[in-house]
Every structure is written in structure tokens, then in C-alpha cells.
Amino acid sequence: QLQLVESGGGLVQPGGSLRLSCAGSGFTLDGYAIGWFRQAPGKGRERISCISSSGSTIYYADSVKGRFTISRANAKNTVYLQMNSLKREDTGVYYCAAFSSVATCIPGQYIYWGQGTQVTVSS
């Protein structure tokens, strides 16, 4: 079965850090752009970051720029999202998805989509 598997979520205090992982299962990620999205309670799915298959092109939403870092380790078939200086408004379910290119890195254009991992920022 071809799928993406997210991990690394949890409960963290404001100002803390988490690293999310997105692993490919049944296929290799290196031919795909990978995006991270989050969905807060009662809100729509927001694009957080996206990285091209080569890693040379990266997008960040203004809300996370300077605090989050996306990277990929193709040898491990994994894409990471390092989240620092977390805020309460970063709370939500975080999803990763595979796309044909960074240009198509929007929710409706995914090729594969993960099941999500919960991130809760609270004191």
C-alpha cells in the first residue's frame, strides 16, 4: 500500500520545539515535492511549507517563516519539519502530502496524503 506516514507530534509548551517526520511507505519520496499542511480546530487546511524533489526550492507560509524549517533526507525516504518557537496558534493536525512539483503544492493537487499527527501547543 502506497502511503505517507507522519510522526513526531505531541504536546509542547509555548516556545518549545518539535520535529515532524513524513516517511514514504511503499514508494520513494525523491521524485516528489513534499508539502506540510495543518488544520486547526474549526478551520480549513493551511499550507505551511513545501520542498521540491531536489530540495532546491522551498516555500514557507508567512505565519511560520523564520521558525519552521523543512528538509529532506532522500536516503531515509523522509521529509522533516523542524518547528521552533512554537505558539499556541500552531496547534492543529499536521499532514504531509506528495505532489508532482512545488507549483502544484496545494491541498487539491496531492498525489499521496498522510493521516496526520496532532500538535498541541499549550502550557
Side-chain angles (χ1 to χ4, degrees):
Q1 186 175 1
L2 307 180
Q3 61 180 352
L4 294 171
V5 180
E6 302 95 337
S7 62
L11 173 64
V12 63
Q13 292 186 342
S17 298
L18 284 174
R19 188 177 78 160
L20 305 183
S21 298
C22 171
S25 177
F27 72 107
T28 57
L29 300 184
D30 59 3
Y32 299 92
I34 302 296
W36 282 99
F37 299 78
R38 74 180 171 203
Q39 188 161 17
K43 296 188 177 181
R45 204 160 284 188
E46 175 189 10
R47 182 176 60 177
I48 298 301
S49 183
C50 197
I51 186 168
S52 63
S53 58
S54 67
S56 62
T57 301
I58 290 176
Y59 162 87
Y60 293 106
D62 287 343
S63 59
V64 305
K65 202 171 291 183
R67 299 188 298 123
F68 291 11
T69 302
I70 192 171
S71 62
R72 61 190 308 153
N74 287 340
K76 296 183 178 181
N77 207 30
T78 302
V79 171
Y80 302 101
L81 185 69
Q82 177 68 42
M83 306 188 297
N84 298 329
S85 302
L86 283 162
K87 305 175 181 180
R88 288 181 174 83
E89 52 264 41
D90 294 318
T91 294
V93 180
Y94 283 69
Y95 302 87
C96 66
F99 300 84
S100 59
S101 71
V102 171
T104 62
C105 192
I106 54 177
Q109 298 290 328
Y110 71 90
I111 298 173
Y112 301 109
W113 192 269
Q115 294 301 306
T117 185
Q118 175 71 44
V119 171
T120 303
V121 184
S122 175
S123 55

